[in-house]
Amino acid sequence: DFIIKVRGIFIKDFIKHKESFPGYHVEALFAGTVLHSLCHTTASWALGDALWLDTDCPKFGQMAEIGRIVRVSFVDDLPGIVFSKSFRDSDHPFYKSVYKKAAAINQKFADNMDTCIIK
């Protein structure tokens, strides 16, 4: 529900600020920002510890090993990022507008939307 609603908001606001994004495709930007960041965030919420994955499972053990690597390497925020990466903290009017509207739908999800692929 959140993704569907925010996608519409994102597209409408993108059109208003299109001059700030020459050559950008709205769907690609949505996928690379909102979808990508929330995919990683919800993965961390769902799999709190990489050791929960059973690498001894005969059928899925190899996938569990890959899942462990992904969980510990590419899910949590990277330490030491020295620039603002979230919609919430962005000064750009496009990201600020989308964030404000998304936060009215679901604050927790909106707070985890990143403006770039950073993890």
Side-chain angles (χ1 to χ4, degrees):
D1 185 44
F2 177 81
I3 294 295
I4 300 300
K5 290 177 180 177
V6 171
R7 180 181 170 272
I9 292 164
F10 189 99
I11 290 169
K12 287 178 186 172
D13 281 2
F14 180 87
I15 291 167
K16 292 177 190 173
H17 299 279
K18 193 171 183 162
E19 70 283 350
S20 295
F21 303 96
Y24 281 56
H25 187 279
V26 66
E27 294 288 355
L29 185 61
F30 182 75
T33 58
V34 175
L35 287 179
H36 187 264
S37 57
L38 290 179
C39 179
H40 283 252
T41 297
T42 56
S44 72
W45 296 343
L47 185 60
D49 189 328
L51 296 178
W52 292 351
L53 296 172
D54 181 9
T55 58
D56 294 327
C57 175
K59 190 170 184 178
F60 300 108
Q62 290 177 331
M63 276 306 299
E65 287 181 26
I66 293 169
R68 282 182 175 183
I69 293 167
V70 169
R71 175 61 184 91
V72 299
S73 304
F74 305 109
V75 173
D76 294 325
D77 285 340
L78 298 171
I81 301 298
V82 296
F83 58 89
S84 175
K85 65 169 184 62
S86 69
F87 278 65
R88 178 186 59 219
D89 297 328
S90 178
D91 290 331
H92 193 282
F94 167 70
Y95 295 111
K96 286 172 79 168
S97 177
V98 172
Y99 172 76
K100 182 178 178 181
K101 294 168 189 169
I105 298 167
N106 185 311
Q107 183 79 45
K108 187 175 180 180
F109 282 163
D111 285 349
N112 286 283
M113 297 186 320
D114 291 332
T115 62
C116 55
I117 296 177
I118 192 72
K119 55 183 172 184

